[in-house]
Amino acid sequence: MQKRIKCIFIILCLSLLCVSCGKKKNTYESEIIELSDSQNINQKPHQWFAFSQNGFTPVSVPQNAPAVPAKPWTEAIRISSSSATSAEDGQTQDAFMIVNRLGILSIKGSEIELNRDTTLFSERTAGNLVFVNGTPVYSLYKSTFFNSNLQDNQHPFLVQFDPISKISYPLVNCDNLTESKACEVTDFIWDGRTWLCCIKSEENSKTEFSYIKWTSNIPLLNQSPAVASKNITIEECDSDTFRKEREPLPFAKAPERIRKLLDGMASTVPFNLTVMTAGGISPRLYSNVAKENEDALVAYGVVSETWSCIMFQDGTLYVEGALDGRRILRRGKPVALRLPRLPYGFNYTSFVISGATLYAAWEERDFYMTSRSGFIKVDLDETLYKKVQS
């Protein structure tokens, strides 16, 4: 209860900062733009959607979505990773959201489509979306802790999604990286050239972790599990190397455009921020936490060619720049927007922006268990461009 009260207090402070920061020089010039579910449903600039076993359907609000059994987050239907391509010549960015246990949402502006894949997704955990030469690439693994009865010889690791055919193709399997036959790649970091992987092996009732670096000797998108073992170079490394790459950096080292988005926030507000680069490599974690074990807000950031955005898990967003084909918002200064408030036990997670449409994932979560989940679709032309002066 004490932890819950402290988190509520931090969020309240964040809300007050959003409202008051317009009074400070070089920060926001107006109060936060609030979205609400109280207005007429036909006049709302946003729509709610909830996932089911077969796809997604509209709902009035998340708490009215049909109840579903709570499952560990690795097994639940939920948006596990999101990102978008880099902008090219003012064209609308393609965006993608990995839906664990279902497939991939492909997004173009206000158009969204679920590409289901029962073969790859039904018994595996999917996530870690990155881009290789503009093509979405993500990872799969089986959590043996929750699926000890799943025994097969197929352990796909790295998979590409073809946006044209809407089909996923395995690129590298676990056995391309190690001689162990009972292993999974539980996590990876890609820096644009090298893949740093954590491999979990389970043999003879013994669990071990190993770490490797590898590079592809041919274009990665030309790889396949049948030939990958001969076309990659592997180097062993240790847990400290992997841990160092996973450790959060101080917020002061975040990209400049991301730091400027939070100029109006008090430096004493603790938060952990995961930053994606559109069309890019693995995200990086930045921390504004001063004390060990300090309760902190969770936030997600995206840096694109012409805009950048940060969203906190309570739905507070900061946006700067120009969305695809549109003017620069408030002469380049950040704009603050809050999505409709979620009930207790629900949080916003990752997000993407394509054209002038925002898609933000939400889920109902209790510790490591997830039940209902879905996303909100927001028209930013209505919520930002019509309400913010240039």
Side-chain angles (χ1 to χ4, degrees), residues 152-165:
D152 63 34
N153 296 320
Q154 297 299 317
H155 295 268
F157 156 49
L158 213 55
V159 182
Q160 70 162 306
F161 175 73
D162 182 354
I164 298 176
S165 67

Side-chain angles (χ1 to χ4, degrees), residues 180-197:
S180 173
K181 299 301 181 183
C183 69
E184 295 287 341
V185 177
T186 60
D187 196 10
F188 77 83
I189 303 166
W190 183 59
D191 63 7
R193 182 177 182 276
T194 301
W195 301 83
L196 179 59
C197 297

Side-chain angles (χ1 to χ4, degrees), residues 254-270:
E256 182 179 7
R257 288 167 59 191
I258 288 291
R259 298 199 310 272
K260 286 185 176 180
L261 275 173
L262 300 183
D263 275 349
M265 182 184 295
S267 59
T268 55
V269 176

Side-chain angles (χ1 to χ4, degrees), residues 2-49:
Q2 201 170 25
K3 184 176 180 181
R4 178 186 171 189
I5 292 173
K6 187 172 182 180
C7 288
I8 293 174
F9 176 75
I10 292 174
I11 292 174
L12 178 61
C13 290
L14 176 60
S15 302
L16 292 174
L17 283 165
C18 293
V19 173
S20 62
C21 61
K23 300 176 183 179
K24 300 178 183 179
K25 187 175 180 181
N26 295 326
T27 55
Y28 314 109
E29 295 180 347
S30 64
E31 295 185 359
I32 190 170
I33 300 171
E34 295 266 6
L35 299 187
S36 172
D37 283 313
S38 61
Q39 62 196 108
N40 186 299
I41 191 169
N42 295 322
Q43 297 176 338
K44 290 181 183 178
H46 62 273
Q47 293 176 280
W48 294 102
F49 297 89

Side-chain angles (χ1 to χ4, degrees), residues 171-178 224-230 232 234:
L171 297 170
V172 178
N173 281 358
C174 297
D175 58 9
N176 296 134
L177 304 175
T178 175
S224 74
V227 300
S229 298
K230 299 182 296 183
I232 58 178
I234 299 174

Side-chain angles (χ1 to χ4, degrees), residues 105-326:
L105 291 170
S106 54
I107 298 164
K108 186 83 166 182
S110 61
E111 302 297 321
I112 184 167
E113 177 185 3
L114 174 63
N115 307 285
R116 294 191 63 192
D117 191 325
T118 56
T119 301
L120 291 176
F121 280 74
S122 62
E123 294 183 339
R124 296 177 176 88
T125 300
N128 297 320
L129 178 63
V130 294
F131 286 86
V132 176
N133 296 330
T135 296
V137 172
Y138 61 96
S139 67
L140 297 170
Y141 79 95
K142 284 185 179 180
S143 174
T144 54
F145 184 82
F146 300 111
N147 292 287
S148 58
N149 62 323
L150 295 177
Q151 301 292 333
D152 63 34
N153 296 320
Q154 297 299 317
H155 295 268
F157 156 49
L158 213 55
V159 182
Q160 70 162 306
F161 175 73
D162 182 354
I164 298 176
S165 67
K166 307 295 178 70
I167 295 175
S168 291
Y169 300 95
L171 297 170
V172 178
N173 281 358
C174 297
D175 58 9
N176 296 134
L177 304 175
T178 175
E179 294 181 356
S180 173
K181 299 301 181 183
C183 69
E184 295 287 341
V185 177
T186 60
D187 196 10
F188 77 83
I189 303 166
W190 183 59
D191 63 7
R193 182 177 182 276
T194 301
W195 301 83
L196 179 59
C197 297
C198 172
I199 301 176
K200 178 182 179 182
S201 302
E202 297 187 52
E203 293 185 87
N204 301 322
S205 301
K206 186 178 181 180
T207 300
E208 294 183 340
F209 289 90
S210 58
Y211 303 86
I212 63 168
K213 289 181 179 179
W214 63 272
T215 56
S216 179
N217 301 329
I218 62 174
L220 181 71
L221 301 181
N222 292 341
Q223 292 279 19
S224 74
V227 300
S229 298
K230 299 182 296 183
N231 292 318
I232 58 178
T233 299
I234 299 174
E235 174 187 348
E236 291 187 6
C237 59
D238 55 26
S239 59
D240 289 339
T241 301
F242 192 89
R243 190 179 299 113
K244 183 178 180 181
E245 292 298 318
R246 269 284 175 250
E247 285 179 351
L249 297 175
F251 181 65
K253 294 187 177 181
E256 182 179 7
R257 288 167 59 191
I258 288 291
R259 298 199 310 272
K260 286 185 176 180
L261 275 173
L262 300 183
D263 275 349
M265 182 184 295
S267 59
T268 55
V269 176
F271 59 84
N272 290 311
L273 171 65
T274 300
V275 178
M276 296 284 297
T277 300
I281 58 179
S282 295
R284 189 76 209 210
L285 179 64
Y286 299 93
S287 179
N288 197 47
V289 178
K291 303 175 183 177
E292 189 175 355
N293 298 323
E294 183 176 24
D295 289 334
L297 297 172
V298 176
Y300 303 86
V302 175
V303 178
S304 190
E305 184 176 344
T306 60
W307 58 267
S308 58
C309 180
I310 291 173
M311 182 182 73
F312 285 84
Q313 68 185 85
D314 74 330
T316 303
L317 286 97
Y318 302 90
V319 188
E320 65 81 24
L323 301 183
D324 298 337
R326 288 157 180 82

